[in-house]
Amino acid sequence: MSGQETIAVIGAGAIGTAAAFALAREGRQVLLLDRDEPGVAGASFGNAGHIAQELVQPLPSPGLLFGFYRELFRFGGTLDLPPRQALRMSAWIRRFAAAAFRRGENTRHLAPLVRPSVAAWARVVEAIGRPELLRRHGHYEIALGPRSPARMKAQADEMARVGVRTLPLSAEQLLPVQRGANAAVAAGLWFEDSANVIDPLEAVRAFAAAALQSGAKFRRLDVKGLRPRGDKLEIVSDQAPLVVDSALVCAGVRSAPLLAPFGLHAPLQAVRGYHIEIPQGAAFFDAPVVYTEERVIVTPMSGRLRATSYMEFTDVDAPADARKPARLRRTVRALGYACEPDGVSWVGSRPVLPDYLPGIGRAPGPAKLFYAIGHQHIGLTLAPITAELVADLVAMRTPRIPLAAYDLQRF
Ligand SMILES: Cc1cc2nc3c(=O)[nH]c(=O)nc-3n(C[C@H](O)[C@H](O)[C@H](O)COP(=O)(O)OP(=O)(O)OC[C@H]3O[C@@H](n4cnc5c(N)ncnc54)[C@H](O)[C@@H]3O)c2cc1C
């Protein structure tokens, strides 16, 4: 297909499908491309469904930089960064370290994107006629053990400092969690302004269906490359070349090679996470629960509970590490959930740039090449707001949030 007006959206995860809908509803001719069916092949399939309006601070911090070894998988933690991998990632780690010392400044860049995320979700689920996909019941953070009250107090203070509202949980609210985990002491906070999605895959499918209903087309295509062709773009695959007027790259962790021919360097690292599920599992709360010491989040989803964890720094295509879901199951059981020791698990790659800011912008040069990548641990959260920004960019309107900090030319 070649089309004067066509914008190709490459990648049908949460970001790509939300963007395809935002563009199609403005009357643009959208061609949504993915090597697989929408939502199934990337991180958007298996995430925790948490609309993390509280995560206004990027992850790199001096505390993590100097204390990360305490979190390592081999010492029982959830962060897996083997020395050989760290060596391979030395340039990325240097950038991460530099960002750790710019956390205040980077929070000023990230927060404007994160704070309106629940409102943007509410707008989009309303627009596509699927309000039931979003539950606005907040989320809970819980710590167990003797030090938990002090830890939760520190977390409440930190959240207040960055403008996030929390409420302490009462002894009565904590009792079932304590019984479940067999813990003498527990403390917890309710984050009333966050939200969750009852089924992340269903949300992506709903965005894609709404885009198609607004005139977009979907085609399964493994995009091998993108080339400038004057002010147009050629999409290279194992099928006949496609020439399009403009393109949006949102191929998650695999986006970098598509952007390189346009002079853009996207140092994306796969930070993999795992999930396990408990069919028909009973939840302690009607919202996600973050166990802060265990680094596990348990989310009630339609017909099941999903537990996610881990930050595994590795190659996107490396085989899954069976020890991780097995340990996750043991942890979730110890927390009081009726979790079988064996069962299906999933691994997926968070697309992470070293400063934990996303890449949203337009490539330099005559070709109309846009990108929306690097949404790290909060791509589900940021999908609707990113889609609105992409629609602004493509329409050459002043974006509703300044985008300079997300320009990939910072690398
Ligand atoms: C365990 C885990 C838990 C998480 N929990 C949360 C959470 O609770 N809340 C939250 O906000 N975020 C969460 N995230 C992060 C979130 O899932 C990601 O940030 C988000 O899904 C990224 O979306 P994306 O559309 O950019 O990428 P993806 O979902 O990875 O989609 C990219 C798409 O591009 C396609 N593609 C790639 N290359 C090509 C190509 N060459 N040709 C054609 N198609 C291509 C892929 O097939 C894929 O469909 C979590 C992630 C993980 C791993």
Side-chain angles (χ1 to χ4, degrees), residues 46 80 272-276 306-312 314 318-326 328 345-348 350:
D80 196 5
R272 300 202 311 182
Y274 288 72
H275 88 215
I276 58 110
R306 176 178 288 177
T308 67
S309 189
Y310 298 110
M311 286 176 62
E312 182 189 60
T314 187
D321 178 351
R323 295 171 303 168
K324 290 181 177 124
L328 179 54
S345 64
W346 170 88
V347 61
R350 304 175 184 96

Side-chain angles (χ1 to χ4, degrees), residues 127-142:
I128 64 175
R130 298 292 304 274
E132 81 286 358
L133 289 170
L134 183 71
R135 289 167 67 97
R136 299 182 71 169
H137 294 187
H139 81 278
Y140 298 83
E141 290 192 7
I142 288 175

Side-chain angles (χ1 to χ4, degrees), residues 10-16 33-52 221-224 250-255 258 271-275 297 308-310 346-351 372-382:
I10 303 170
I15 303 293
L33 301 172
D34 199 293
R35 48 169 65 149
D36 218 315
E37 291 300 317
V40 303
S44 302
F45 175 86
N47 59 60
H50 172 39
I51 306 307
L221 193 75
D222 190 355
V223 176
K224 304 279 188 215
C250 32
V253 74
R254 299 181 197 273
S255 298
L258 301 177
V271 181
R272 300 202 311 182
Y274 288 72
H275 88 215
I297 173 163
T308 67
S309 189
Y310 298 110
W346 170 88
V347 61
S349 294
R350 304 175 184 96
I373 64 164
H375 286 75
Q376 40 118 334
H377 302 218
I378 50 173
L380 183 73
T381 301
L382 297 180

Side-chain angles (χ1 to χ4, degrees), residues 53-70:
Q53 189 159 279
E54 78 287 0
L55 292 181
V56 296
Q57 297 168 294
L59 189 74
S61 70
L64 181 58
L65 205 57
F66 298 116
F68 80 97
Y69 59 90
R70 282 193 293 266

Side-chain angles (χ1 to χ4, degrees), residues 204-218:
V204 172
R205 286 180 168 156
F207 292 161
L212 299 197
Q213 238 171 23
S214 305
K217 298 207 163 30
F218 172 71

Side-chain angles (χ1 to χ4, degrees), residues 69-136:
Y69 59 90
R70 282 193 293 266
E71 312 275 343
L72 286 175
F73 183 69
R74 76 186 99 116
F75 303 139
T78 55
L79 194 156
D80 196 5
L81 178 57
R84 218 179 304 149
Q85 173 69 19
L87 216 59
R88 275 199 294 270
M89 285 173 54
S90 56
W92 193 94
I93 290 172
R94 270 198 304 280
R95 287 189 163 119
F96 181 97
F101 294 103
R102 289 198 311 266
R103 197 181 199 203
E105 185 189 335
N106 285 347
T107 298
R108 283 192 289 282
H109 296 318
L110 185 62
L113 206 56
V114 177
R115 286 196 211 284
S117 55
V118 172
W121 259 97
R123 278 196 293 280
V124 73
V125 292
E126 198 56 48
I128 64 175
R130 298 292 304 274
E132 81 286 358
L133 289 170
L134 183 71
R135 289 167 67 97
R136 299 182 71 169

Side-chain angles (χ1 to χ4, degrees), residues 60-369:
S61 70
L64 181 58
L65 205 57
F66 298 116
F68 80 97
Y69 59 90
R70 282 193 293 266
E71 312 275 343
L72 286 175
F73 183 69
R74 76 186 99 116
F75 303 139
T78 55
L79 194 156
D80 196 5
L81 178 57
R84 218 179 304 149
Q85 173 69 19
L87 216 59
R88 275 199 294 270
M89 285 173 54
S90 56
W92 193 94
I93 290 172
R94 270 198 304 280
R95 287 189 163 119
F96 181 97
F101 294 103
R102 289 198 311 266
R103 197 181 199 203
E105 185 189 335
N106 285 347
T107 298
R108 283 192 289 282
H109 296 318
L110 185 62
L113 206 56
V114 177
R115 286 196 211 284
S117 55
V118 172
W121 259 97
R123 278 196 293 280
V124 73
V125 292
E126 198 56 48
I128 64 175
R130 298 292 304 274
E132 81 286 358
L133 289 170
L134 183 71
R135 289 167 67 97
R136 299 182 71 169
H137 294 187
H139 81 278
Y140 298 83
E141 290 192 7
I142 288 175
L144 303 164
R147 299 210 319 240
S148 58
R151 287 197 168 131
M152 280 294 123
K153 167 81 174 63
Q155 170 70 335
D157 291 348
E158 177 65 359
M159 288 297 100
R161 193 181 68 75
V162 295
V164 173
R165 294 196 300 178
T166 62
L167 282 173
L169 294 187
S170 66
E172 198 185 331
Q173 284 172 302
L174 284 164
L175 201 58
V177 182
Q178 263 174 279
R179 279 206 195 108
N182 209 6
V185 188
L189 297 172
W190 182 47
F191 290 65
E192 57 187 308
D193 298 321
S194 58
N196 72 287
V197 168
I198 59 162
D199 192 319
L201 174 61
E202 188 50 35
V204 172
R205 286 180 168 156
F207 292 161
L212 299 197
Q213 238 171 23
S214 305
K217 298 207 163 30
F218 172 71
R219 183 167 152 192
R220 269 183 76 164
L221 193 75
D222 190 355
V223 176
K224 304 279 188 215
L226 270 178
R227 286 197 205 122
R229 266 246 205 137
D231 63 348
K232 299 201 185 304
L233 294 145
E234 182 180 325
I235 298 174
V236 183
S237 68
D238 55 9
Q239 299 179 26
L242 282 172
V243 177
V244 290
D245 200 49
S246 56
L248 169 70
V249 173
C250 32
V253 74
R254 299 181 197 273
S255 298
L258 301 177
L259 297 169
F262 301 85
L264 289 172
H265 175 52
L268 281 165
Q269 172 62 41
V271 181
R272 300 202 311 182
Y274 288 72
H275 88 215
I276 58 110
E277 293 190 330
I278 309 173
Q280 308 305 329
F284 291 114
F285 295 99
D286 57 358
V289 179
V290 177
Y291 290 91
T292 56
E293 305 310 300
E294 292 76 8
R295 308 251 188 266
V296 168
I297 173 163
V298 181
T299 306
M301 292 192 180
S302 23
R304 74 248 197 232
L305 294 182
R306 176 178 288 177
T308 67
S309 189
Y310 298 110
M311 286 176 62
E312 182 189 60
F313 291 83
T314 187
D315 186 79
V316 55
D317 293 315
D321 178 351
R323 295 171 303 168
K324 290 181 177 124
R327 192 199 275 178
L328 179 54
R329 284 183 177 276
R330 286 197 295 277
T331 305
V332 169
R333 256 170 98 87
L335 290 169
Y337 296 89
C339 181
E340 297 296 329
D342 296 306
V344 177
S345 64
W346 170 88
V347 61
S349 294
R350 304 175 184 96
V352 183
L353 292 163
D355 56 8
Y356 269 76
L357 295 176
I360 305 172
R362 179 179 168 171
K368 292 193 211 97
L369 181 73

